[in-house]
Amino acid sequence: DPNEDTEWNDVLRAKGILPPKQKEAEISEDQIVSMIDEAIKKRTDAGGESRKDIGDMDLDELDELEDSEDEAVLEEYRRKRLAEMKIFADKARFGSVREISGQDYVEEVNKAGQDIWVVLHLYANGIPQCNLIHHYMNDLAVRFPQTKFLRSVATTCIPNFPEKNVPCIFIYYEGQMRKQFIGAVDLRGDKLTKDEFE
């Protein structure tokens, strides 16, 4: 979950690698009471003359009115929350690491779209740290399905890319490079842990 509170996620957010933490819409008891009172007022004001004035209602009638308004307010809150969840689910469209070629680079990275984070791993076959990073990226892609995780053989993606610079990770947001890690030194060599990579 990208909103999970971990020290590494906070570091990644501070560096602009992960999107800002989405805050859940919390609703207090006072807000619920206010919403119910407002709904009751609207209903009694809109009821016209056929509706009994709230001041003339006995306790049973008030309880019945409040119960029906509770249900209406909770149903409205439920509808809003489902709409928010649908928007989040629509953004969660990636979920795996995809292999790209040099021809795909512009389309997949630079033209990824609005509000899309892209993590590109340039690698070379036979380098253990590249395999380690690919393994970590597979886990992250599942945990952060709103982020596009890509990988490519460095020389296939960028002709004459120096092998000494792999592994290499480029991080883009809305087509603009935000961060790069070039070579084993930037990525702590074989000492890189999964927690650090996250």
Side-chain angles (χ1 to χ4, degrees):
D1 178 5
N3 291 321
E4 183 179 298
D5 279 326
T6 66
E7 186 176 324
W8 290 111
N9 285 351
D10 291 340
V11 170
L12 291 174
R13 278 190 193 89
K15 291 183 179 190
I17 296 168
L18 286 180
K21 186 173 181 177
Q22 296 176 352
K23 295 186 178 179
E24 294 246 350
E26 291 188 21
I27 190 162
S28 69
E29 187 176 334
D30 290 340
Q31 289 172 315
I32 291 173
V33 169
S34 295
M35 289 168 44
I36 291 170
D37 289 344
E38 186 178 317
I40 289 172
K41 185 174 181 341
K42 281 182 186 174
R43 185 173 278 187
T44 55
D45 289 348
E49 295 185 29
S50 63
R51 190 112 192 178
K52 201 174 200 182
D53 188 83
I54 197 165
D56 296 333
M57 292 182 179
D58 63 26
L59 287 177
D60 289 336
E61 291 171 321
L62 285 171
D63 278 346
E64 187 178 317
L65 181 61
E66 186 176 4
D67 288 345
S68 69
E69 293 306 322
D70 282 350
E71 290 173 21
V73 167
L74 290 175
E75 182 59 30
E76 179 63 23
Y77 178 73
R78 181 181 167 276
R79 271 196 297 272
K80 285 180 182 177
R81 190 68 183 115
L82 285 172
E84 288 171 3
M85 290 168 65
K86 183 181 182 326
I87 289 169
F88 182 78
D90 288 345
K91 286 183 178 181
R93 60 180 178 227
F94 303 112
S96 66
V97 178
R98 290 189 13 252
E99 185 82 25
I100 64 167
S101 67
Q103 291 85 6
D104 302 325
Y105 189 91
V106 171
E107 191 66 32
E108 294 289 339
V109 177
N110 298 110
K111 296 181 179 179
Q114 186 177 2
D115 202 28
I116 302 290
W117 285 92
V118 178
V119 177
L120 173 64
H121 172 215
L122 298 179
Y123 70 96
N125 290 317
I127 296 180
Q129 191 182 19
C130 291
N131 293 334
L132 182 66
I133 289 171
H134 180 63
H135 175 73
Y136 292 162
M137 281 181 61
N138 281 330
D139 290 346
L140 287 174
V142 172
R143 287 183 51 208
F144 301 103
Q146 309 85 356
T147 301
K148 185 188 281 192
F149 286 89
L150 304 170
R151 75 181 208 143
S152 181
V153 174
T155 54
T156 301
C157 193
I158 302 170
N160 302 318
F161 192 84
E163 190 171 311
K164 67 179 178 140
N165 289 344
V166 294
C168 180
I169 296 176
F170 295 142
I171 300 169
Y172 287 80
Y173 180 67
E174 295 184 343
Q176 300 297 314
M177 184 179 293
R178 299 300 175 123
K179 185 74 177 164
Q180 59 185 359
F181 300 92
I182 299 175
V185 173
D186 271 3
L187 292 165
R188 290 193 13 89
D190 59 359
K191 293 176 177 64
L192 180 70
T193 66
K194 184 176 180 181
D195 287 341
E196 289 175 313
F197 190 73
E198 289 178 12

